[in-house]
Amino acid sequence: MMIAGTASVTEQTCRSCGWPHMDTFLKLGRTPLADRLTTDANRGEAEPVFPLNVAFCQDCSLVQITETVNPRILFADAYPYYSSFSQALLEHSRENVLDLIERRGLTGDSFVIELASNDGYLLKNYVEADIPVLGIDPADGPVAAANKIGVPTDLAFFTLELAEKLREQGRQADVIHANNVLAHVADTNGFVAGVARLLKDDGVAVIEAPYVEPMIDHCEFDTIYHEHLCYFSVTALDNLFRRHGLYLNEIKHLSIHGGSLRLYVEKLERVGASVSNQLAHEKSRGLDAVEYYRDFSAKVDQLKVDLRSLLHRLKADGATIAAYGAAAKGATLINTAGIGGDVLDFVVDRNTHKQGKYMPGQRIPIRPPEALLDAQPDYVLVLAWNFIDEIVAQQSQYRARGGKFIVPVPTPRIV
């Protein structure tokens, strides 16, 4: 468990169940923090690097990295991720909110809380419907942006202690949202226990998390970085929630982020077919056994070899190459595959908070998307491949001029 003041801790036991004998099946070496962008002011300084190893727990089936970097280093120091820069994510979130308002009959007497609410991208849909909300997030920039648009947001890490304080204030929730955060918290059990304390008896926690099955099957190894501590199967999630008196009653499969799950978690056990069928599917495929994960490392190595070969062949033929998406997954890809400034001229990103900075490790400059039309590189390596359709649509003019995109996973291909 994290010790205050330390930079990182190597975990010896499972984050969920405490099992002491985890099986490491992937080692990506020592890498920089994927969301810690370099600036002109610190470009000459050495970046901290940490081991990035992935293990499987044979007791509760949780896939997890074995290094816990202090969350204040990861999330509270000029954290650059702002959800509202993705139109696809905005639409995805709005559809989720409108569905819940209808399904749960939410009104002005209801109360909705979002954990890791970022810049208010999701909660603003409730505000527009006059439903009271509270966002909780540890990153000061996104919190300020949320409050600016009228989404009440507290600057804090969500903990069991904070949940108890809110409960004492009578601020239990009809709906708790937690999108792409459960995998980020060092105290996995404390976080889930906090959800249980903060949820009304008839409330629902709606949680989204990347799904481990497509990550393994489609070789999405670049979704592994220090901010993502866990990679969930339904089996592991069911075990985790039940430990805290919560029940995973419904799931929906989502295409976002390379394959995710939306989890509907309640205090009343009424497990539906979507959950029981998925548990049976995982059992039949062996997701609850380490053998399923054994050959992942070899697949990752082959993908990196194939991608490097493609890029170097294009460079040798005189092509110019840029990249799209200064995403965390992009940092994992370029650093573990050794793709640097000798291959990529620059990276573009719509997030203005990233522009003018440099990718971690490889120090490749980050520019606005307009740079693609200014420079018209022959190829663009799509680092944020989970938004490939949105990116291609945005860059129709670049493509009309003859530009081509390289999608790195599950196998490198030109589109």
Side-chain angles (χ1 to χ4, degrees):
M1 189 54 57
M2 176 56 56
I3 302 172
T6 61
S8 72
V9 170
T10 302
E11 304 293 346
Q12 304 297 330
T13 60
C14 175
R15 300 174 185 280
S16 180
C17 70
W19 183 254
H21 307 297
M22 293 189 293
D23 291 279
T24 299
F25 63 87
L26 178 66
K27 295 183 178 181
L28 292 174
R30 298 177 65 87
T31 68
L33 301 179
D35 269 319
R36 198 175 183 85
L37 305 180
T38 303
T39 65
D40 285 324
N42 61 16
R43 194 178 177 193
E45 301 173 8
E47 294 176 66
V49 293
F50 301 91
L52 191 55
N53 302 322
V54 188
F56 175 80
C57 173
Q58 295 208 43
D59 186 56
C60 75
S61 302
L62 181 63
V63 174
Q64 56 206 282
I65 66 169
T66 57
E67 197 76 9
T68 302
V69 178
N70 191 312
R72 296 195 177 279
I73 297 175
L74 288 175
F75 303 114
D77 183 12
Y79 188 60
Y81 183 75
Y82 287 71
S83 299
S84 292
F85 282 99
S86 169
Q87 187 60 38
L89 185 58
L90 290 175
E91 294 170 1
H92 168 87
S93 303
R94 182 168 178 78
E95 290 172 3
N96 186 13
V97 169
L98 294 179
D99 175 66
L100 281 165
I101 290 175
E102 181 178 354
R103 288 177 61 179
R104 308 291 296 193
L106 302 179
T107 68
D109 295 324
S110 306
F111 186 45
V112 177
I113 294 176
E114 185 180 10
L115 313 178
S117 53
N118 201 259
D119 58 8
Y121 72 105
L122 181 145
L123 289 181
K124 68 180 182 181
N125 296 291
Y126 287 109
V127 173
E128 291 173 3
D130 296 320
I131 297 172
V133 303
L134 174 66
I136 300 170
D137 197 280
D140 52 1
V143 167
N147 282 305
K148 187 175 181 179
I149 63 170
V151 177
T153 307
D154 289 348
L155 180 66
F157 284 98
F158 179 70
T159 61
L160 177 57
E161 181 182 11
L162 178 56
E164 294 284 7
K165 288 181 180 178
L166 291 170
R167 183 185 172 97
E168 290 171 4
Q169 296 169 6
R171 305 180 79 186
Q172 284 184 280
D174 296 277
V175 176
I176 295 177
H177 284 279
N179 290 345
N180 299 299
V181 60
L182 183 58
H184 289 67
V185 293
D187 184 6
T188 306
N189 285 292
F191 186 92
V192 176
V195 170
R197 292 296 289 163
L198 202 52
L199 194 64
K200 291 181 180 179
D201 288 342
D202 60 349
V204 61
V206 184
I207 299 169
E208 292 186 14
Y211 188 29
V212 74
E213 186 178 35
M215 184 187 87
I216 298 297
D217 288 353
H218 302 158
C219 206
E220 298 169 358
F221 79 97
D222 52 345
T223 61
I224 298 168
Y225 41 89
H226 297 98
E227 287 89 337
H228 279 179
L229 301 171
C230 300
Y231 306 85
F232 293 109
S233 63
V234 176
T235 303
L237 288 163
D238 190 54
N239 289 329
L240 172 61
F241 292 133
R242 286 178 179 273
R243 191 177 303 119
H244 299 283
L246 295 172
Y247 301 95
L248 177 55
N249 289 332
E250 181 185 355
I251 60 173
K252 290 184 178 180
H253 288 268
L254 309 172
S255 61
I256 196 166
H257 300 310
S260 299
L261 297 173
R262 180 177 293 156
L263 318 164
Y264 296 84
V265 180
E266 299 171 285
K267 291 184 175 180
L268 176 66
E269 184 175 10
R270 45 186 177 189
V271 178
S274 62
V275 176
S276 56
N277 290 344
Q278 198 65 29
L279 288 170
H281 166 79
E282 291 185 357
K283 187 74 174 177
S284 68
R285 288 213 64 200
L287 267 73
D288 58 346
V290 70
E291 286 72 24
Y292 174 76
Y293 307 91
R294 289 277 190 218
D295 63 349
F296 186 57
S297 180
K299 292 179 181 178
V300 170
D301 288 343
Q302 188 60 55
L303 188 153
K304 290 190 291 187
V305 167
D306 292 345
L307 180 59
R308 282 196 303 265
S309 176
L310 172 61
L311 295 174
H312 285 292
R313 175 173 58 79
L314 294 174
K315 291 294 288 187
D317 290 341
T320 53
I321 309 173
Y324 195 111
K329 57 169 47 69
T332 292
L333 183 70
I334 64 174
N335 283 298
T336 60
I339 301 170
D342 59 327
V343 174
L344 301 178
D345 297 333
F346 56 89
V347 178
V348 300
D349 199 286
R350 293 182 68 197
N351 188 336
T352 55
H353 303 277
K354 296 183 179 182
Q355 294 166 10
K357 297 179 181 178
Y358 303 86
M359 291 293 289
Q362 298 293 343
R363 309 291 177 91
I364 303 168
I366 303 169
R367 300 177 183 174
E370 292 76 19
L372 291 183
L373 294 179
D374 293 338
Q376 193 60 35
D378 299 302
Y379 296 90
V380 172
L381 174 63
V382 183
L383 299 177
W385 49 260
N386 50 318
F387 293 117
I388 179 62
D389 292 338
E390 178 181 350
I391 291 169
V392 170
Q394 287 172 7
Q395 298 302 320
S396 58
Q397 188 175 355
Y398 163 78
R399 201 174 194 187
R401 291 181 179 180
K404 295 182 175 65
F405 295 95
I406 302 170
V407 182
V409 298
T411 57
R413 65 194 189 279
I414 297 173
V415 298

